[in-house]
Amino acid sequence: MIEKGKISAFQMAIILYATVLATSILIVPSLTSKFAGRDLWLSPVWASPIGFFTVYVVTRLHKLYPGETIIQYCQHILGPFPGKVIGFLYLIALVHFSGIILREYAEFVASSFLIKTPMAVVIGCLTFVCASTVRGGLEVIGRSAQVFSGLFVFPLLLMILLLLPEWKISNLFPVLEHGIMPSIRGAATPQAWFSQSFLLTFFLPFVTDRVKVRKYGYATVFAILLTLVITDLTALFVFGRITPMLVYPVMNVASYVSIADFLEHLESVVMAVWVVGIFVKVNAFYYALVLGTAQWLNLSDYRPLVLPYGFIMTLFSFWSLPSLQAVAHILERVIPFYGTLFFTLIPSCLLLIALVKNKRRKRKMENQTTSVREET
């Protein structure tokens, strides 16, 4: 086996939670509010079934093909050549998504905090740290995510609690002023983030307590939904109608915290949440990429691929997204369909084909058994 490390279902859930939320809590509220307006908090509710369904599909495929990732079992389902083609397309998509994530991180850090630092340095430092973690194996990724989970969740909860005096509940009303369709249109963006639950396929073969996998997966999707709704409501209660005009509403809302002229301007809290979350997210995509490539090439070890892929991911972060405007465009127009296609629709088709093939195989075996009995 390429990966000898093991993680628990709880560690898997923490990786998934940080992976989906790392970028969504900062970017999604602005993109969603452009369509949904003050009903932006409802959009994650309509988008969440994609997450639950993706978890079901991935865990069901894992049950049919235990010990294998999608790169491996798509060859069993579709055949050697078509399976190799689909696996290659997944590797290209993972490289592209990794480049987008790195560029999102760099755009936020460079524009908000490290203004004079070259973007290549910002991306290169994160890639190097993540490469060291991925090279250490899945256990290192799981333990680092478990250690940093408190740094990801606690500052976010603290900021929301400190903002309670600034809340204006009247910004919420009237609910569904223009009907339900604006909030459903706004759900197109967060559904792409929920579909990233697909990454479980690369962790499931190495989870120790597999019986709890689906339960933890559903619980994680619900926790993600709850967090997105709360952060959307916080931005809406503070900014109201101007929320769509802000690129990072959660960061802007942190500047409103003021306790006794002592505790103020918690933008650094948002920065800490962002860096920790992005670290876990890049590790997850990075690991899926190198593990999938090693399985696609039938290698015995994925570690020699870590540094070359780090360089390729860095190049993709510049090639695919030349500017902040391009980042916003691809997140709003392309990712909702691109991500859902690779992370939900294709695995669903694979599951359907696998179930049909298994049903035919069982029927054939039953017919053979019946004919043998009749002959005897």
Side-chain angles (χ1 to χ4, degrees):
M1 184 179 289
I2 296 177
E3 175 61 69
K4 297 180 180 179
K6 297 289 183 179
I7 59 173
S8 65
F10 178 68
Q11 289 174 324
M12 179 203 71
I14 291 175
I15 294 172
L16 179 60
Y17 180 80
T19 297
V20 176
L21 278 179
T23 50
S24 59
I25 56 173
L26 285 185
I27 298 171
V28 169
S30 175
L31 299 177
T32 302
S33 61
K34 291 180 181 179
F35 299 99
R38 59 164 56 92
D39 295 325
L40 78 160
W41 63 278
L42 284 172
S43 294
V45 178
W46 311 139
S48 61
I50 291 290
F52 290 109
F53 179 69
T54 303
V55 170
Y56 169 78
V57 169
V58 171
T59 52
R60 187 69 187 276
L61 283 168
H62 172 68
K63 190 175 181 180
L64 292 174
Y65 302 95
E68 296 185 352
T69 69
I70 192 170
I71 303 297
Q72 296 170 308
Y73 58 64
C74 69
Q75 297 179 41
H76 298 309
I77 296 172
L78 301 176
F81 181 74
K84 283 285 188 180
V85 172
I86 296 297
F88 181 74
L89 292 177
Y90 267 106
L91 296 179
I92 295 297
L94 287 172
V95 171
H96 192 199
F97 271 99
S98 299
I100 292 172
I101 295 164
L102 288 173
R103 188 55 181 264
E104 289 177 67
Y105 163 78
E107 287 287 352
F108 172 72
V109 172
S111 63
S112 302
F113 296 94
L114 305 178
I115 300 174
K116 295 184 178 181
T117 304
M119 196 170 293
V121 175
V122 176
I123 294 176
C125 290
L126 178 65
T127 304
F128 178 77
V129 174
C130 291
S132 303
T133 306
V134 172
R135 191 173 177 82
L138 184 59
E139 286 190 7
V140 176
I141 296 173
R143 290 172 183 174
S144 61
Q146 191 171 2
V147 169
F148 291 134
S149 60
L151 296 177
F152 182 77
V153 177
F154 179 73
L156 188 62
L157 292 176
L158 177 63
M159 184 190 69
I160 292 173
L161 290 175
L162 294 176
L163 280 168
L164 288 177
E166 303 293 333
W167 282 19
K168 296 180 181 179
I169 309 298
S170 59
N171 290 336
L172 179 65
F173 302 103
V175 178
L176 299 177
E177 180 182 10
H178 302 289
I180 197 173
M181 286 309 298
S183 61
I184 292 178
R185 288 183 62 198
T189 300
Q191 82 172 6
W193 269 264
F194 277 107
S195 67
Q196 291 175 11
S197 306
F198 158 84
L199 288 179
L200 290 179
T201 185
F202 295 98
F203 303 130
L204 290 178
F206 315 110
V207 175
T208 54
D209 42 351
R210 298 181 184 180
V211 179
K212 302 178 181 178
V213 161
R214 185 172 293 176
K215 179 178 69 174
Y216 272 95
Y218 287 155
T220 305
V221 172
F222 180 77
I224 293 167
L225 166 63
L226 190 63
T227 307
L228 284 177
V229 169
I230 291 174
T231 52
D232 285 353
L233 284 173
T234 301
L236 178 64
F237 289 158
V238 174
F239 294 119
R241 291 182 176 272
I242 68 170
T243 304
M245 305 176 188
L246 306 173
V247 179
Y248 305 113
V250 175
M251 188 196 71
N252 296 117
V253 86
S255 63
Y256 276 69
V257 175
S258 179
I259 306 297
D261 293 329
F262 173 73
L263 189 62
E264 294 182 322
H265 301 290
L266 296 185
E267 291 91 339
S268 57
V269 172
V270 179
M271 177 67 173
V273 172
W274 175 262
V275 171
V276 170
I278 282 289
F279 171 73
V280 177
K281 183 163 190 164
V282 173
N283 281 337
F285 275 86
Y286 203 162
Y287 177 78
L289 178 59
V290 295
L291 178 67
T293 302
Q295 292 173 338
W296 193 80
L297 295 173
N298 296 320
L299 301 179
S300 59
D301 191 7
Y302 63 82
R303 288 169 180 81
L305 301 173
V306 172
L307 290 180
Y309 261 128
F311 179 71
I312 293 172
M313 288 161 49
T314 303
L315 290 181
F316 261 79
S317 67
F318 290 97
W319 288 346
S320 57
L321 298 169
S323 64
L324 179 60
Q325 290 74 20
V327 173
H329 174 76
I330 196 170
L331 291 177
E332 183 180 342
R333 303 292 181 182
V334 180
I335 291 298
F337 306 100
Y338 179 38
T340 307
L341 172 64
F342 276 95
F343 296 156
T344 302
L345 294 182
I346 293 179
S348 301
C349 293
L350 290 175
L351 176 60
L352 182 60
I353 295 171
L355 291 175
V356 171
K357 290 180 69 174
N358 285 349
K359 190 174 181 180
R360 288 179 178 177
R361 190 181 299 115
K362 288 180 180 179
R363 187 176 298 172
K364 185 177 180 180
M365 291 177 63
E366 289 175 357
N367 292 336
Q368 290 176 350
T369 305
T370 304
S371 62
V372 170
R373 287 177 181 176
E374 289 177 353
E375 290 176 359
T376 56

